[in-house]
Amino acid sequence: DAKAVAADLKPIYQATTLEEAEAALDAFSTKWDALYPAISQIWIRHWDNVIPIFDDPMDIRKVIYTTNAIESLNRSLRKVIKTKAVFPDEESVFKLMYLAMNNIAKRWNRPIKNWKAALSHFAILFPGRFNY
């Protein structure tokens, strides 16, 4: 049921308003609680942490929605650390992380989707922080 459950979760986090998200969560609970009650309970338990996202415009939400870049970075850093068994001191770890970050950054060549629209919203929400 993974694909069906994931499809029914999308209306929650893709809702344009908090009210739509709450209605989508209720619909999800009604449909899936008999089989998977823990899923909706997790959403309900952490709802106070979820709802601030609905204060942001959709263009910003699309940019901050995914953690793929962060997960990719963490995976790359773990791979570098894993190949070294012992570090002589803390400074050597920092040096290795610095060099690894420089090498990882060279591979970042894809632009962030919807970045220009989100940047415009950021400039409005946080005046004085952007010079573009």
Side-chain angles (χ1 to χ4, degrees):
D1 295 331
K3 286 185 180 184
V5 169
D8 287 342
L9 285 171
K10 278 186 180 184
I12 300 170
Y13 57 82
Q14 290 181 344
T16 55
T17 65
L18 178 59
E19 292 76 22
E20 285 180 23
E22 289 170 343
L25 180 56
D26 288 339
F28 180 88
S29 297
T30 302
K31 182 175 180 179
W32 292 106
D33 274 0
L35 292 172
Y36 309 109
I39 297 172
S40 62
Q41 290 306 309
I42 290 171
W43 278 85
I44 292 167
R45 192 168 42 247
H46 296 285
W47 194 246
D48 288 339
N49 297 325
V50 173
I51 59 176
I53 193 78
F54 296 105
D55 293 338
D56 295 323
M58 192 58 88
D59 289 326
I60 291 177
R61 289 171 52 191
K62 286 179 182 177
V63 168
I64 62 175
Y65 164 74
T66 184
T67 59
N68 288 347
I70 297 167
E71 291 168 4
S72 174
L73 174 64
N74 286 337
R75 184 174 45 255
S76 297
L77 291 175
R78 278 194 307 271
K79 186 176 179 182
V80 169
I81 292 277
K82 195 176 186 180
T83 60
K84 310 293 182 234
V86 178
F87 295 97
D89 56 20
E90 192 174 280
E91 186 178 346
S92 63
V93 176
F94 290 133
K95 286 180 181 179
L96 181 65
M97 291 291 98
Y98 174 78
L99 293 171
M101 291 287 288
N102 281 338
N103 288 333
I104 293 166
K106 290 176 187 174
R107 294 184 303 207
W108 294 340
N109 54 11
R110 253 189 306 170
I112 298 172
K113 192 175 181 180
N114 301 319
W115 178 248
K116 289 188 181 205
L119 187 62
S120 297
H121 284 289
F122 284 133
I124 293 167
L125 292 172
F126 306 104
R129 291 191 187 180
F130 291 92
N131 296 325
Y132 69 99

